[in-house]
């Protein structure tokens, strides 16, 4: 094989890689860009330039901030955002703490009935949520917490996925680490807190993102459980814009755009934990 | 010693977390606590779907009501319109029932049949029925008693793009007598459509609505019903007891009409098979099947649009569907007297006039309609005429929600998408009748 | 070490105490918010329970036998299986490829990761609206491209045969970012030294991938497999917001059936019976997946 063929092959490979990347970037970002563009368009313009696709589909011909002003004044969206943020924060904090503790128990502590506990948790994933709405609501009512914020996030704290995820990562930490911690005279809890948790940082970060997005995007449950018209989470607030007689598209898009911002912020803050090599330090020698 | 302390800390942290869970419960007291303190004031809950300034409109009405009745407080509960029925069902399942519920009038029979509503004959005695358009009274009656307050009514109307029609040299009918047959309608509007397509260099549709393809009996079944003469089974579209469809939905005339309906979506390319949001406002649709409130939406949001209304087309008998939201009282209410006082107020001229200032809904009583200026001018006149002269309530059944799902939604969607008409109709009739069997008395 | 002996004595008791206290919050939460509702749902499944009237009539196993005989329910199961068979492999494949592409922090990987996560972050309402336009039967983006290539336009969401695959594409687009994240967190746990040693031995990228990376990702793969499988079986919102089960029930997934029966036909008992059947299937599926991967482990 001469140099020319090698260079050609490498050139071809680079072109293919570049094209695939371009395709990926476009495929993933186009809908989002369209949403942003539409949120700055007046109502009459949003669907004017959809068919056919041109640059005008994405860039407003007469851009306006009116939609956002309306969103925060007439529709009081700011309070919805605060409410959703508050709920998401509580969900994430409680969930990470509670789930990591029980995952630790499942992964590291040996005791009779451990497998039973594991399946006890796993089985909860199997019943679709929609089937549980009515009885769960009844439980919430009998606890006396219906129509409160707690009713929204309490059922989300113990999440079998997250428990499973943590357990998965904890299992992969070699036993030597764990025993080392114990020998130095720490209790299991201390080992859990200071040694194991930092080691599964990427899993915790994933869990934060999952629970945050899950809580942020949830619709049916907050809808069912809250009667107070002043406590509307963002998804319910957006859904209010779809009525039998009209759909306030300009507000829908500006609201949708605004709701993606906190999630992106959370993600950017957690970015650095995904850099390879942060936790890979293995056992030397 | 050190070890024990660490374990205690762990315990302490866990307990603190548990307390954190419990704390918000006490900081967010449910509103029911307040009313328990003041025994002389009764509080009732009023449940209605969000949309089109309803919270604002009801807010003003409630304000006036509470001024006139200081011993009754009205608390509102609102859900998005799209989840209204689901939330209602969950509410009932959990025995967490609002006292006054804004029900969709055709569903009233179902709820009354299940014993979920209180009769309201003392508020709307038979002697008063003459003041209402016949359609809405038919809707709220069950076994001779009124179960929903017939305070609003409506009609399906047809808007059209005046500029497009002018460009094609077509003149739309202006009165009910001039109404077109469906064949005339399709021929003329196709001309308009094609001219507009040439001018705009993009696809233009003949007719569209809020949801495409048409998904509810309000919007789509009138087309099929108009294929029959006034007393025919085709016109009725369902048996009188609301449980049988064989012989009503599958008559030769109905099948003809359904095939025509299918052609509108497929062969003629006349109606879109997917949503065109704001299609009429942005000039992609020549005619628009919409409620009375759309007129004001167009004026407010699309200043360049030159629109007007025309009568609905028909096959044999002209018809439009009527009905609207009707407040009803839950049978399980703890405050029936207060609830009735509120509903009675809602039906008063004062309340309806106040309400109409924020949400233009046509009152059920004809004499009140004449008292509201917005309804005596512009496109409202056509809607009123449609309602009074051609208006019929939707196919009535105690299993109406089932009919809606299986027939008006699933079956009509399948036909719009191009499925074999006879087979789809017979499958749907079998599926619906097997569910509706529960309601045979 | 002087502490060793007394530590050994306490160990068993310490283990049990820790096990109890640390798992207590989750255990109680699951009991109250998961098991009690599930048991209630099971109870409902033995009754003919009409939500509106509140009437409950004992029917024993009738709901289950009806569900298993009902052609619509069986069709829903089949549709859901089809969705699962398309959705899960695609998510795994693309999730893996993307995670490998952005694993090493290079120029643009941070940007690329964020782009791939955009769909996860975009609200489902907006995502389904936009995809609805891209799929539009006459003027959507995909049909514009097809027509430029002189191919006939397709009704992606309005044609029986295309609707479900179109929803799969939407589903993969929406979730692949999350799967990529899971793979990434699994990849970061692989010590780089293993790759170094293999490269010194002259192993190519693919050889390293197959013999080092994949085996070490086994746990992550099981997790992702179960996560995506259960997600695929429980898919509801994208269907609810676009096709609602049509056209001609080609996208009527099982949760859509449950929803329709519970809240549209007001048959809570029947809907609960279907849900329990789904749960049993999912349990069976997870057990199978678990055991088959475990077996492969023991072969090694």
């Amino acid at each position: 094989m001469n140099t020319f063929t090698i260079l050609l092959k490498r050139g071809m490979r680079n072109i293919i890689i570049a094209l695939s990347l371009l395709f990926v970037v476009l495929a993933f970002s186009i809908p989002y860009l369209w949403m942003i563009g539409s949120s700055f368009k007046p109502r009459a313009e949003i669907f004017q330039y959809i068919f056919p696709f041109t640059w005008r589909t994405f860039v407003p011909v007469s851009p306006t901030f009116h939609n956002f002003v309306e969103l925060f004044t007439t529709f009081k969206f700011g309070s919805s955002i605060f409410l959703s943020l508050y709920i998401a924060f509580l969900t994430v904090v409680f969930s990470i703490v509670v789930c990591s503790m029980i995952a630790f128990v499942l992964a590291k502590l040996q005791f009779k009935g451990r497998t039973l506990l594991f399946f006890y948790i796993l089985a909860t994933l199997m019943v679709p949520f929609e089937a549980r709405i009515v009885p769960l609501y009844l439980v919430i009512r009998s606890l006396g917490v219906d129509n409160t914020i707690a009713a929204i996030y309490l059922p989300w704290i113990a999440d079998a996925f997250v428990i499973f995820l943590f357990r998965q990562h904890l299992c992969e930490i070699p036993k030597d680490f764990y025993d080392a911690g114990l020998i130095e005279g720490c209790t299991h809890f201390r080992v859990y807190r200071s040694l194991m948790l930092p080691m599964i940082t990427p899993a915790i970060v994933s869990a934060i993102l999952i629970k945050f997005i899950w809580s942020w995007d949830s619709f049916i449950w907050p809808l069912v459980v809250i009667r107070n018209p002043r406590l509307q989470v963002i998804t319910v607030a957006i859904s209010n814009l779809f009525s039998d007689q009209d759909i306030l598209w300009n507000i829908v898009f500006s609201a949708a755009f605004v709701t993606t911002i906190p999630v992106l912020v959370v993600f950017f803050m957690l970015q650095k934990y995904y850099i390879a090599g942060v936790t890979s330090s293995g056992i030397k020698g | 010693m050190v070890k024990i302390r660490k374990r205690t800390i762990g315990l302490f942290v866990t307990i603190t977390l548990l307390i954190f869970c419990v704390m918000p419960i006490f900081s967010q007291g449910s509103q029911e606590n307040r009313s328990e303190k003041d025994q002389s004031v009764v509080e009732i809950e009023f449940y209605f779907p969000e949309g089109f300034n309803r919270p604002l409109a009801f807010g003003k009405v409630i304000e006036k009501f509470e001024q006139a009745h200081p011993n009754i407080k009205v608390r509102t509960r609102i859900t998005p319109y799209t989840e209204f029925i689901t939330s209602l069902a969950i509410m009932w399942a959990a025995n967490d029932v609002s006292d006054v519920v804004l029900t969709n009038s055709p569903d009233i029979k179902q709820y009354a049949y299940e014993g979920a509503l209180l009769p309201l004959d003392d508020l709307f005695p038979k002697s008063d029925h003459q003041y209402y358009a016949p359609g809405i009274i038919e809707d709220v009656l069950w076994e001779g008693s009124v179960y929903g307050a017939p305070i609003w009514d409506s009609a399906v109307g047809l808007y059209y793009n005046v500029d497009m029609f002018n460009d094609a040299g077509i003149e739309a009918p202006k009165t009910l007598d001039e109404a077109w047959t469906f064949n005339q309608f399709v021929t003329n509007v196709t001309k308009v459509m094609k001219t507009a397509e040439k001018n705009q260099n993009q696809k233009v549709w003949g007719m569209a609505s809020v949801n495409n393809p048409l998904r509810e009996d309000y919007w789509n079944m009138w087309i099929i019903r108009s294929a029959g003469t006034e007393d025919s089974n085709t016109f009725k579209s369902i048996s009188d007891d609301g449980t049988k469809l064989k012989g009503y939905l599958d008559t030769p005339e109905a099948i003809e009409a359904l095939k025509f309906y299918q052609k509108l979506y497929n062969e003629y390319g006349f109606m879109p098979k997917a949503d065109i949001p704001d299609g009429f406002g942005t000039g992609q649709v020549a005619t628009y099947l919409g409620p009375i409130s759309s007129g004001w939406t167009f004026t407010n949001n699309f200043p360049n649009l030159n629109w007007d209304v025309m009568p609905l087309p028909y096959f044999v008998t002209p018809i439009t569907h009527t009905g609207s939201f009707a407040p009803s009282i839950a049978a399980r209410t703890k405050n029936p007297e207060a609830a009735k006082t509120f509903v009675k107020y809602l039906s008063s001229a004062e309340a309806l006039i106040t309400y109409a200032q924020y949400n233009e809904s046509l009152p059920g009583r004809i004499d009140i309609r004449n008292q509201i200026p917005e309804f005596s001018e512009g496109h409202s006149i056509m809607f009123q005429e449609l309602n009074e002269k051609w208006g019929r309530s939707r196919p009535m059944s105690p299993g109406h929600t089932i009919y809606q799902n299986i027939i008006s939604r699933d079956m009509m969607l399948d036909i719009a998408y191009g499925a074999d008409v006879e087979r789809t109709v017979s499958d749907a009739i079998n599926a619906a009748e097997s569910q509706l069997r529960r309601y045979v008395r | 070490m002087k502490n060793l002996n007394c530590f050994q004595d306490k160990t068993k008791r310490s283990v049990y105490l820790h096990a109890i206290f640390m798992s207590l919050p989750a255990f109680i939460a699951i009991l109250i918010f998961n098991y009690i509702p599930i048991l209630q749902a099971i109870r409902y499944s033995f009754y003919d329970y009409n939500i509106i009237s509140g009437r409950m009539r004992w029917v024993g196993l009738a709901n289950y036998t009806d569900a298993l005989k009902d052609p619509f329910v069986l069709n829903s199961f089949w549709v859901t299986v089809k969705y699962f068979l398309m959705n899960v492999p695609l998510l795994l494949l693309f999730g893996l490829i993307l995670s490998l592409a952005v694993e090493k922090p290079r120029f643009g990987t941070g940007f690329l990761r964020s782009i791939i996560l955009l769909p996860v972050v975009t609200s489902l309402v907006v995502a389904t609206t936009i995809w609805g336009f891209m799929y539009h039967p006459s003027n959507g983006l995909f049909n514009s491209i097809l027509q430029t290539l002189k191919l006939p336009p397709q009704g992606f969401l309005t044609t029986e045969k295309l609707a479900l695959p179109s929803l799969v594409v939407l589903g993969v687009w929406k979730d692949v970012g999350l799967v990529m994240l899971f793979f990434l967190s699994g990849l970061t746990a692989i010590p780089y030294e293993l790759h170094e040693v293999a490269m010194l031995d002259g192993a190519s990228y693919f050889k390293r991938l197959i013999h080092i990376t994949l085996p070490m990702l086994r746990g992550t793969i099981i997790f992702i497999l179960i996560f995506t499988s259960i997600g695929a079986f429980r898919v509801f919102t994208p269907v609810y917001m676009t096709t609602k089960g049509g056209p001609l029930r080609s996208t009527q997934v099982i949760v859509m059936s449950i929803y329709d029966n519970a809240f549209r036909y007001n048959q809570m008992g029947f809907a609960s019976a279907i849900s329990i059947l789904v749960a049993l299937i999912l349990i069976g599926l997870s057990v199978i997946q678990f055991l088959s991967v475990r077996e492969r482990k023991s072969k090694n």
Side-chain angles (χ1 to χ4, degrees):
Chain A
M1 241 192 266
N2 59 13
T3 335
F4 180 67
T5 333
I6 297 177
L7 281 176
L8 189 64
K9 274 202 172 155
R10 206 174 292 169
M12 285 287 294
R13 205 188 69 174
N14 285 342
I15 292 180
I16 293 179
I17 293 182
L19 279 180
S20 327
L21 283 179
L22 184 65
F23 175 72
V24 165
V25 170
L26 282 180
F28 284 88
S29 56
I30 280 185
Y32 191 73
L33 292 175
W34 182 64
M35 177 182 74
I36 299 183
S38 302
S39 59
F40 288 100
K41 293 183 188 174
R43 166 94 184 258
E45 207 189 298
I46 297 180
F47 293 105
Q48 183 84 47
Y49 303 106
I50 297 277
F51 306 126
F53 263 59
T54 59
W55 66 268
R56 273 187 284 262
T57 317
F58 297 94
V59 181
V61 168
S62 25
T64 168
F65 279 104
H66 172 79
N67 301 333
F68 294 97
V69 172
E70 276 281 300
L71 186 65
F72 287 103
T73 53
T74 319
F75 294 93
K76 300 204 180 50
F77 203 63
S79 60
S80 294
I81 295 185
F82 277 126
L83 183 66
S84 287
L85 272 176
Y86 176 63
I87 294 174
F89 175 72
L90 287 180
T91 308
V92 165
V93 166
F94 286 146
S95 183
I96 302 283
V97 170
V98 169
C99 293
S100 62
M101 285 204 295
I102 196 169
F104 174 76
V105 168
L106 286 174
K108 289 301 179 213
L109 299 181
Q110 308 269 20
F111 58 96
K112 241 193 319 190
R114 185 172 80 160
T115 335
L116 205 65
L117 186 63
F118 178 62
F119 283 112
Y120 170 79
I121 297 170
L122 199 60
T124 62
L125 289 175
M126 310 298 170
V127 181
F129 173 67
E130 286 74 14
R132 283 187 284 138
I133 296 181
V134 171
L136 186 58
Y137 185 49
L138 287 171
V139 167
I140 294 279
R141 266 172 67 82
S142 52
L143 284 178
V145 296
D146 68 310
N147 208 26
T148 64
I149 300 179
I152 300 183
Y153 63 78
L154 280 180
W156 294 340
I157 293 184
D159 183 340
F161 280 143
V162 172
I163 295 176
F164 198 9
L165 176 69
F166 286 162
R167 176 190 172 275
Q168 182 47 48
H169 280 254
L170 284 169
C171 276
E172 276 164 11
I173 301 176
K175 205 165 180 300
D176 313 335
F177 273 102
Y178 186 67
D179 292 338
L182 276 182
I183 289 175
E184 283 183 37
C186 305
T187 63
H188 298 282
F189 189 80
R190 185 66 201 279
V191 178
Y192 151 76
R193 184 163 67 87
S194 316
L195 206 59
M196 303 281 108
L197 282 190
M199 290 192 77
I200 57 166
T201 313
I204 295 188
V205 169
S206 295
I208 293 180
L209 208 54
I210 301 176
K211 289 307 279 186
F212 189 87
I213 293 176
W214 167 258
S215 153
W216 194 247
D217 263 350
S218 69
F219 175 57
I220 296 194
W221 182 242
L223 177 72
V224 165
V225 108
I226 294 284
R227 247 183 283 134
N228 188 340
R230 269 174 287 142
L231 290 181
Q232 308 237 299
V233 294
I234 47 169
T235 45
V236 174
I238 293 181
S239 189
N240 279 331
L241 302 166
F242 291 74
S243 81
D244 49 321
Q245 290 160 315
D246 192 21
I247 299 174
L248 305 174
W249 287 108
N250 50 340
I251 313 292
V252 169
F253 280 102
S254 51
F257 177 40
V258 168
T259 55
T260 56
I261 295 179
V263 192
L264 281 178
V265 165
V266 167
F267 174 63
F268 278 120
M269 292 198 301
L270 301 174
Q271 262 277 39
K272 55 178 177 169
Y273 294 102
Y274 277 101
I275 298 175
V278 166
T279 54
S280 70
S281 51
I283 309 164
K284 291 235 195 297
Chain B
M1 259 319 199
V2 181
K3 287 172 223 154
I4 298 175
R5 223 191 335 137
K6 295 249 166 72
R7 206 185 295 163
T8 329
I9 291 180
L11 212 69
F12 175 70
V13 170
T14 320
I15 295 181
T16 324
L17 283 173
L18 283 176
I19 295 181
F20 260 111
C21 286
V22 175
M23 239 172 57
I25 299 171
F26 298 108
S27 64
Q28 196 77 38
S30 109
Q31 286 168 306
E32 287 163 345
N33 290 338
R34 270 190 269 127
S35 66
E36 278 166 18
K37 294 180 194 153
D38 194 345
Q39 288 297 339
S40 59
V41 175
V42 173
E43 196 174 11
I44 57 173
E45 187 174 270
F46 178 34
Y47 177 58
F48 59 88
E50 171 69 60
F52 221 66
N53 277 339
R54 269 190 210 116
L56 182 62
F58 277 125
K60 298 283 184 206
V61 171
I62 291 174
E63 238 179 75
K64 292 203 172 156
F65 173 76
E66 287 179 344
Q67 272 172 9
H69 300 262
N71 59 326
I72 306 182
K73 280 203 85 57
V74 180
R75 183 177 77 224
T76 58
R77 177 175 183 174
I78 309 172
T79 48
Y81 176 75
T82 48
E83 301 304 320
F84 185 60
I85 304 277
T86 315
S87 307
L88 197 60
I90 296 178
M91 224 168 64
W92 257 314
N95 209 18
D96 164 31
V97 182
S98 303
D99 305 282
V100 180
V101 177
L102 202 67
T103 340
N104 209 2
S105 55
D107 293 337
I108 287 188
K109 288 191 172 39
Q110 178 159 4
Y111 297 140
Y113 171 81
E114 303 288 3
L117 300 177
L118 281 186
L120 302 174
D121 292 308
D122 44 346
L123 301 176
F124 302 98
K126 253 202 188 75
S127 51
D128 278 355
H129 292 184
Q130 52 172 319
Y131 297 120
Y132 295 85
I136 188 73
I137 292 289
E138 276 182 330
D139 259 348
V140 302
L141 280 176
W142 172 252
E143 300 202 315
S145 288
V146 171
Y147 279 89
I151 64 182
W152 287 304
D153 204 354
S154 72
V156 177
L158 192 59
Y159 296 84
Y160 70 97
N161 189 320
V162 178
D163 291 333
M164 275 193 212
F165 270 62
N166 288 342
D167 286 344
I170 304 278
E171 222 192 290
K174 294 270 193 305
T175 66
L176 294 191
D177 307 316
E178 296 171 16
W180 284 335
T181 62
F182 255 106
N183 283 322
Q184 287 174 310
F185 178 70
V186 175
T187 318
N188 290 333
V189 179
T190 307
K191 223 178 284 175
V192 174
M193 202 171 99
K194 293 273 185 259
T195 319
E197 266 180 23
K198 217 172 293 169
N199 292 343
Q200 289 183 40
N201 208 12
Q202 69 167 345
K203 170 73 184 167
V204 176
W205 303 92
M207 183 164 80
S209 182
V210 183
N211 284 310
N212 299 293
L214 305 176
R215 259 167 250 175
E216 286 179 40
D217 58 355
Y218 187 69
W219 300 110
N220 58 24
M221 292 313 286
W222 64 270
I223 300 177
I224 313 304
R225 292 176 73 180
S226 86
T229 56
E230 214 169 315
D231 286 318
S232 65
N233 284 352
T234 312
F235 193 74
K236 287 193 204 157
S237 205
I238 196 171
S239 63
D240 289 335
D241 66 349
T243 62
K244 306 233 185 338
L245 294 163
K246 231 185 284 263
Y248 293 85
L249 193 59
D250 53 358
T251 64
E253 295 85 14
I255 300 285
E256 268 297 316
L258 286 167
K259 290 195 175 150
F260 186 86
Y261 182 76
Q262 186 171 69
K263 290 202 189 116
L264 287 176
Y265 282 100
N266 294 286
E267 254 178 71
Y268 302 158
F270 194 74
M271 294 181 70
K273 289 203 251 192
D275 277 325
I276 315 263
D278 286 346
F280 188 69
T282 55
Q284 296 174 60
V285 170
T287 66
Y288 181 81
L289 219 57
I292 194 173
S293 53
S294 298
W296 291 289
T297 309
F298 296 144
T299 311
N300 293 334
N301 288 301
F302 302 98
N304 297 329
L305 182 69
N306 187 359
W307 60 270
D308 203 347
V309 284
M310 63 184 244
L312 297 178
Y314 62 98
F315 287 113
V316 172
T317 315
I319 174 181
T320 187
H321 272 155
T322 63
S324 181
F325 283 107
S328 49
I329 301 182
R332 292 186 233 173
T333 176
K334 299 197 184 66
N335 308 297
E337 289 313 313
K340 283 193 176 173
T341 317
F342 182 57
V343 171
K344 184 144 185 88
Y345 180 74
L346 281 180
S347 64
S348 69
E350 179 187 293
L352 289 172
I353 294 175
T354 315
Y355 188 83
Q357 289 175 338
Y358 303 95
N359 177 329
E360 301 86 352
S361 293
L362 198 63
R365 277 181 77 123
I366 303 182
D367 48 351
I368 298 185
R369 282 178 206 180
N370 302 330
Q371 295 178 31
I372 304 179
E374 282 101 344
F375 292 127
S376 338
E377 57 191 17
H379 70 292
S380 310
I381 301 180
M382 172 75 74
F383 274 88
Q384 278 197 57
E385 279 194 24
L386 283 170
N387 173 273
E388 287 164 32
K389 300 216 175 81
W390 290 359
R392 282 288 193 281
S393 65
R394 295 162 251 187
M396 293 182 279
S397 167
H400 184 256
T401 49
I402 295 172
Y403 174 84
Q404 267 278 46
N405 281 292
I406 302 185
I407 304 294
S408 356
R409 197 189 72 189
D410 290 344
M411 183 190 89
M412 293 301 266
L413 275 179
D414 289 342
I415 291 181
Y417 287 137
D420 175 77
V421 174
E422 271 106 348
R423 213 194 69 194
T424 312
V425 172
S426 79
D427 282 347
I429 290 184
N430 287 336
E433 284 193 349
S434 70
Q435 298 265 2
L436 289 172
R437 220 178 294 138
R438 294 171 219 273
Y439 299 96
V440 173
R441 287 163 289 136
Chain C
M1 293 203 191
K2 54 185 166 113
N3 282 334
L4 204 61
N5 283 334
C6 31
F7 200 68
Q8 295 279 32
D9 280 345
K10 285 195 198 157
T11 299
K12 255 229 170 91
R13 189 167 66 102
S14 163
V15 167
Y16 269 103
L17 270 176
H18 274 88
I20 294 180
F21 275 115
M22 288 179 72
S23 53
L24 205 60
F27 186 86
I28 295 181
I30 292 181
L31 186 70
I32 301 179
F33 299 113
N34 276 292
Y35 275 97
I36 295 185
I38 292 177
L39 291 174
Q40 270 281 51
I42 295 180
R43 186 174 146 254
Y44 290 157
S45 69
F46 296 120
Y47 288 84
D48 178 337
Y49 177 27
N50 181 309
I51 292 189
I52 300 182
S53 63
R55 262 193 316 252
M56 287 183 79
R57 189 173 54 95
W58 176 266
V59 290
L61 288 175
N63 282 330
Y64 288 94
T65 48
D66 283 344
L68 289 170
K69 276 188 286 182
D70 187 331
F72 292 132
V73 174
L74 293 174
N75 174 64
S76 296
F77 274 115
W78 175 228
V79 167
T80 317
V81 167
K82 278 196 283 194
Y83 182 84
F84 158 75
L85 288 174
M86 290 190 270
N87 183 285
V88 171
L90 286 176
L91 275 177
L92 277 171
L93 185 66
F94 285 116
L96 182 63
I97 295 178
L98 288 172
S99 67
L100 290 172
V102 302
E103 187 191 354
K104 301 277 183 294
R106 261 194 302 244
F107 171 71
T109 40
F111 171 72
L112 210 57
R113 282 184 208 172
S114 320
I115 294 282
I116 296 174
L117 264 164
L118 273 183
V120 178
V121 158
T122 315
S123 94
L124 208 48
V125 169
V126 178
T128 44
T129 310
I130 301 170
W131 278 82
F133 293 136
M134 298 206 282
Y135 279 142
H136 200 277
S138 2
N139 301 30
L141 176 66
F142 296 139
N143 278 321
S144 309
I145 297 177
L146 284 179
Q147 282 173 314
T148 326
L149 295 175
K150 301 276 191 292
L151 293 168
Q154 303 290 331
F156 292 101
L157 292 176
T158 57
T159 315
E160 215 182 326
K161 291 204 174 36
L162 291 177
L164 197 62
S166 306
L167 283 183
V168 170
V169 172
L170 205 172
V172 172
W173 176 85
K174 186 99 186 25
D175 291 332
V176 74
L178 213 50
V179 176
M180 177 192 78
L181 275 189
F182 292 147
F183 270 122
L184 273 181
S185 43
L187 285 173
T188 55
I190 301 178
Y192 191 60
E193 288 80 12
L194 289 178
H195 285 283
E196 274 181 341
V197 170
M199 283 198 283
L200 283 176
D201 278 347
S204 73
Y205 184 75
F206 281 113
K207 274 231 174 70
R208 278 186 290 130
L209 181 66
I210 297 177
H211 292 284
I212 300 180
T213 319
L214 286 183
M216 295 220 65
L217 278 180
R218 176 163 286 124
T220 314
I221 292 182
I222 298 184
F223 169 76
I224 295 178
L225 202 58
I226 297 195
F227 179 83
T228 50
S229 304
I230 294 182
F233 264 89
R234 287 166 57 160
V235 68
F236 173 64
T237 318
V239 177
Y240 183 63
M241 307 226 83
T242 53
T243 55
K244 290 208 176 30
L248 288 163
R249 276 167 291 282
S250 58
T251 59
Q252 180 83 352
V253 290
I254 195 68
V255 182
M256 192 75 218
S257 265
I258 295 175
Y259 181 87
D260 275 347
N261 275 295
F263 300 114
R264 299 217 184 272
Y265 306 146
N266 298 315
Q267 296 305 314
M268 198 67 198
F270 190 61
S272 302
I274 303 178
S275 319
I276 302 301
L277 286 174
V278 172
L280 291 173
I281 293 180
L282 283 179
I283 292 177
L285 196 71
S286 307
V287 169
I288 294 175
Q289 282 175 336
F290 221 69
L291 290 177
S292 65
V293 183
R294 184 98 62 85
E295 240 180 60
R296 254 185 275 146
K297 216 180 200 164
S298 59
K299 274 196 201 143
N300 277 358

